[in-house]
Amino acid sequence: MSDQVYEVVECTHEKPTPPIQLLLLTDVPAYGKAGHLVTVPRNIARMFLLPEGKAEYVTPEGIAVFEAKKREEALHPELQSSSATSLSTVAHLSDILLLVPMNMHNPWKLERWHIRSALRLIVGFRTMFSCNIIITDAP
């Protein structure tokens, strides 16, 4: 029998890995728009963003390319999305079924306030009064 005593100096396999900073190449819902520098967990970067070509490691060359692209896109504001969360909002809205309760015995016309009221019933979804709701005749 040995009387050796071992001391664990550092247990590296249980230590959490720090997040990594990436440059987004495309708009990614819930993370940001193309050209943004984002800090994400390493497993998200390794399994999702880097293999699919949606992001790359931050390099001076990559930043210079996207700064030039951003200057070019500034000349065409109609191509820009309104905010960093607009893509995730569009994805969320396209997945929901919006129920608008109406009385079938009274004549009615679908108005913007009907949509706002129905959206308010969805948990966690609020609309600004000035939000742009467009009602079309197409189904």
Side-chain angles (χ1 to χ4, degrees), residues 104-133:
M104 65 183 217
H105 300 293
N106 293 331
W108 53 270
K109 181 181 175 193
L110 187 64
E111 299 287 341
R112 292 179 181 176
W113 69 269
H114 293 116
I115 304 299
R116 280 194 199 97
S117 298
L119 285 171
R120 236 178 299 160
L121 295 175
I122 299 173
V123 177
F125 200 91
R126 302 274 179 186
T127 60
M128 301 281 294
F129 185 73
S130 62
C131 72
N132 191 13
I133 297 174

Side-chain angles (χ1 to χ4, degrees), residues 23 59-71:
L23 179 66
T59 60
E61 296 83 18
I63 292 174
V65 166
F66 271 97
E67 283 178 355
K69 193 176 198 181
K70 196 180 288 186
R71 282 191 299 272

Side-chain angles (χ1 to χ4, degrees), residues 24-137:
L24 293 179
L25 300 175
T26 61
D27 293 347
V28 182
Y31 290 103
K33 295 172 28 176
H36 285 182
L37 292 174
V38 294
T39 303
V40 296
R42 287 183 183 269
N43 62 335
I44 298 293
R46 187 181 68 242
M47 304 289 281
F48 172 61
L49 296 174
L50 292 171
E52 293 182 9
K54 295 183 177 187
E56 67 179 18
Y57 293 106
V58 178
T59 60
E61 296 83 18
I63 292 174
V65 166
F66 271 97
E67 283 178 355
K69 193 176 198 181
K70 196 180 288 186
R71 282 191 299 272
E72 183 180 320
E73 287 177 355
L75 300 174
H76 305 285
E78 67 276 359
L79 300 177
Q80 299 173 2
S81 58
S82 59
S83 71
T85 60
S86 62
L87 293 174
S88 59
T89 303
V90 168
H92 177 70
L93 287 174
S94 64
D95 289 340
I96 65 170
L97 174 64
L98 187 64
L99 300 176
V100 181
M102 294 288 183
N103 186 341
M104 65 183 217
H105 300 293
N106 293 331
W108 53 270
K109 181 181 175 193
L110 187 64
E111 299 287 341
R112 292 179 181 176
W113 69 269
H114 293 116
I115 304 299
R116 280 194 199 97
S117 298
L119 285 171
R120 236 178 299 160
L121 295 175
I122 299 173
V123 177
F125 200 91
R126 302 274 179 186
T127 60
M128 301 281 294
F129 185 73
S130 62
C131 72
N132 191 13
I133 297 174
I134 300 171
I135 299 172
T136 62
D137 292 332

